[in-house]
Amino acid sequence: MSAKVVKEMTPARTVTLTDGSSGKSASLPVYDGTLGPGVIDVRALYKETGYFTYDPGFMATGSCQSGITFIDGEKGVLLHRGYPIDELAEHSSFLECAYLLLNGDLPNAKAKTDFENTITKHTMVHEQIQLLYRGFRRDSHPMAVMIGVVGALAAFYHEDTNIKNATHRMIASHRLIAKMPTIAAMAYKYSIGQPFMYPRNELNYAENFLHMVFSVPCEEYKLNPIHARAMDRLLILHADHEQNASTSTVRLAGSSGANPYACIAAGIATLWGPAHGGANEAVLKMLREIGDKKRIPEFIKRAKDKDDNFKLMGFGHRVYKNFDPRARVMRETCHEVLSDLGIKDEPLLEIAMELERIALEDDYFVKRKLYPNVDFYSGIILKALGFPTQLFTVLFAVARTVGWVAQWKEMIEDPEQKIGRPRQLYTGSPQRPYVPIGKRG
Ligand code: SDX
């Protein structure tokens, strides 16, 4: 399947919208995609009826056409360029998935090796980047550091980044994919007062990341293949997810022609929120706060209480009204990693599994189709791999950078691409004259 977006869409049919009061009507084309719901093209609506559409949170709005990821929320299906996420998690590697998301097809052996070598050769950062970390307090949240340092890459790669040039777009994509683990590991090292570790070219992507996080100059980190495989699978599971909040931010920022490194920094900022990527850190905090299976009913009650803004972190999803397929793979990986590491009784996993069991039997959650999402189990695996809780969302950002750059590149190459500029329903004051200060109440 070509990686190009469909040039000209042919309407499958039209729908007519008629305003009963004014009698005005608009005949709107409908386009069908390869899979999933068709879309009503409302671009002519305002011109023909004088109305805008209204969809806070974009619950039912298609912002673009895309061939990268398909989600069927009712069936719990997630495809990347047509390949099911569970098959990619089982058989692929993160860099092979990165190639797939960027280019549209799985690489042959030569293309795979060439891509891996290209990424490897971009893993170092400009030596001056090290100085940026010194501007942060040691106890800064690493997501704040990531926003700052990744945004600063725009200062290092601006004049030579012409986003209209396909080669420049691919180089920027490669640099970001390659440098995110290095920048993330440096954020961690800085927070614990250890020296930065340079990437090592003989290691694969996941191994290199673990090395940069856990090695110290006086002692190499002993690479554990189970850890590395689990890390690589976690990265695959977080790589892309259609038009989620952070990806939509990257697309919107990129639609103005902004520097791609700055766009990714905007994506990191959006991902940080606890309703989005920040949920994996929030899940661990919640499981620790619950502390004992006996307290689960108390938290379930709080989650259902409209006067309590507590939500069951790692549960629910805007699109999935069934099990998040990534959560299934994550739960299996969780058991594998813990048993491979000989961790018999991880209390947080016990609590998580009991919480899942109780919630999935509770009418409140069943009625609202609230299931565990990608963030529910990931933190337990990351904790078992030795990562501090504050680094969980950083890992999500490292993985999601692949999706962000693939979606950004697709947006730039989309012939329909325009600067994003939503409208509104104005509910403020009607026009009124300025009142001099002496005449105000
Ligand atoms: C990610 O978009 C993506 O693809 C995101 C993501 C990706 O890969 O990019 O999948 C990653 O962000 C996963 C989601 C991680 N967030 C959390 O786990 C935080 C907890 N979840 C909720 O905040 C919530 O479920 C959202 C934000 C994920 C989805 O919220 P929606 O779609 O806006 O749904 P909603 O808030 O309107 O909820 C519908 C109802 C409400 O109750 P009623 O008003 O109908 O009575 O369900 C309730 C909500 O109060 N509800 C929850 C709940 N989630 C929704 N009640 C308790 N606990 C929850 N977790």
Side-chain angles (χ1 to χ4, degrees):
M1 186 76 181
S2 153
K4 287 267 176 278
V5 290
V6 172
K7 284 255 182 299
E8 283 305 316
M9 292 196 285
T10 313
R13 52 198 170 280
T14 58
V15 291
T16 303
L17 193 67
T18 303
D19 178 352
S21 55
S22 69
K24 282 186 182 176
S25 69
S27 179
L28 303 170
V30 171
Y31 304 116
D32 288 330
T34 319
L35 297 170
V39 293
I40 299 174
D41 183 342
V42 294
R43 283 175 284 191
L45 186 70
Y46 176 63
K47 187 156 60 46
E48 293 186 20
T49 67
Y51 289 116
F52 293 142
T53 60
Y54 183 64
D55 185 16
F58 311 117
M59 308 274 283
T61 293
S63 62
C64 61
Q65 55 170 298
S66 177
I68 297 174
T69 290
F70 174 72
I71 302 172
D72 182 327
E74 295 306 322
K75 298 192 184 115
V77 169
L78 168 57
L79 308 177
H80 288 319
R81 300 287 191 184
Y83 296 98
I85 188 64
D86 50 332
E87 292 184 35
L88 291 171
E90 179 69 29
H91 304 297
S92 187
S93 70
F94 179 65
L95 281 191
E96 184 179 77
C97 288
Y99 180 98
L100 173 67
L101 290 170
L102 276 172
N103 297 291
D105 289 306
L106 289 169
N108 61 29
K110 181 181 180 314
K112 184 167 184 277
T113 306
D114 290 349
F115 183 73
E116 288 166 347
N117 290 338
T118 300
I119 297 299
T120 299
K121 292 288 188 298
H122 281 297
T123 49
M124 280 179 73
V125 293
H126 192 292
E127 201 67 357
Q128 273 182 240
I129 292 272
Q130 296 195 17
L131 305 177
L132 293 171
Y133 289 82
R134 283 161 182 50
F136 292 94
R137 287 167 47 118
R138 293 275 181 182
D139 62 354
S140 304
H141 193 292
M143 282 299 276
V145 177
M146 291 298 289
I147 295 164
V149 176
V150 174
L153 291 179
F156 286 82
Y157 308 109
H158 185 65
E159 296 317 319
D160 63 351
T161 305
N162 169 9
I163 60 170
K164 295 297 177 201
N165 178 315
T167 306
H168 287 204
R169 288 197 296 274
M170 204 45 113
I171 291 171
S173 303
H174 292 161
R175 278 179 175 146
L176 280 156
I177 293 168
K179 295 179 192 314
M180 281 296 277
T182 310
I183 292 169
M186 289 170 76
Y188 173 61
K189 286 302 200 187
Y190 182 72
S191 72
I192 57 174
Q194 286 186 359
F196 300 134
M197 294 304 292
Y198 288 97
R200 288 204 353 228
N201 290 353
E202 75 278 15
L203 300 177
N204 70 34
Y205 195 87
E207 291 168 343
N208 216 353
F209 183 54
L210 292 169
H211 150 67
M212 290 187 284
V213 169
F214 295 117
S215 289
V216 287
C218 25
E219 187 179 339
E220 263 309 292
Y221 167 69
K222 288 180 189 50
L223 279 168
N224 175 326
I226 299 156
H227 283 206
R229 180 64 194 129
M231 187 75 253
D232 196 73
R233 188 180 288 180
L234 275 163
L235 293 169
I236 291 172
L237 293 172
H238 288 84
D240 188 56
H241 211 241
E242 200 215 62
Q243 304 311 318
N244 59 84
S246 52
T247 297
S248 298
T249 299
V250 171
R251 278 181 171 261
L252 193 56
S255 73
S256 74
N259 179 296
Y261 302 91
C263 296
I264 299 304
I268 297 171
T270 306
L271 187 74
W272 191 4
H276 191 13
N280 55 15
E281 177 179 347
V283 167
L284 251 288
K285 283 185 184 149
M286 176 186 72
L287 294 175
R288 286 191 175 117
E289 193 187 346
I290 293 173
D292 185 307
K293 284 195 269 190
K294 290 195 288 295
R295 293 192 62 203
I296 290 174
E298 170 197 332
F299 283 81
I300 295 272
K301 186 165 174 284
R302 282 189 58 196
K304 292 151 64 170
D305 178 357
K306 290 304 165 203
D307 297 328
D308 185 335
N309 60 16
F310 171 78
K311 284 202 190 301
L312 218 45
M313 301 317 281
F315 261 77
H317 199 278
R318 169 62 55 76
V319 177
Y320 289 121
K321 300 309 169 192
N322 196 324
F323 236 91
D324 181 334
R326 300 167 297 175
R328 284 186 202 285
V329 181
M330 208 69 87
R331 188 174 53 186
E332 286 155 28
T333 306
C334 203
H335 288 295
E336 280 169 28
V337 169
L338 293 180
S339 64
D340 289 333
L341 298 177
I343 301 173
K344 296 260 182 300
D345 53 350
E346 165 52 75
L348 296 179
L349 177 61
E350 299 298 314
I351 294 172
M353 288 172 63
E354 181 63 2
L355 182 58
E356 176 187 328
R357 186 188 68 77
I358 296 175
L360 295 185
E361 289 173 355
D362 186 296
D363 185 51
Y364 173 93
F365 293 88
V366 173
K367 204 168 67 171
R368 292 169 177 78
K369 298 183 177 181
L370 303 175
Y371 291 87
N373 58 47
V374 67
D375 294 305
F376 190 61
Y377 284 101
S378 56
I380 298 168
I381 302 172
L382 292 170
K383 175 178 173 289
L385 295 180
F387 288 99
T389 311
Q390 275 206 344
L391 219 59
F392 290 3
T393 310
V394 170
L395 297 175
F396 197 150
V398 169
R400 188 52 56 89
T401 296
V402 164
W404 289 332
V405 295
Q407 299 266 356
W408 166 80
K409 197 167 128 336
E410 184 182 64
M411 181 267 301
I412 300 282
E413 293 161 5
D414 181 346
E416 293 194 307
Q417 192 263 328
K418 286 180 178 304
I419 185 168
R421 206 279 186 218
R423 299 306 302 270
Q424 64 179 14
L425 175 69
Y426 178 68
T427 55
S429 165
Q431 185 167 334
R432 51 185 169 165
Y434 180 79
V435 178
I437 189 139
K439 294 197 172 137
R440 296 172 201 163

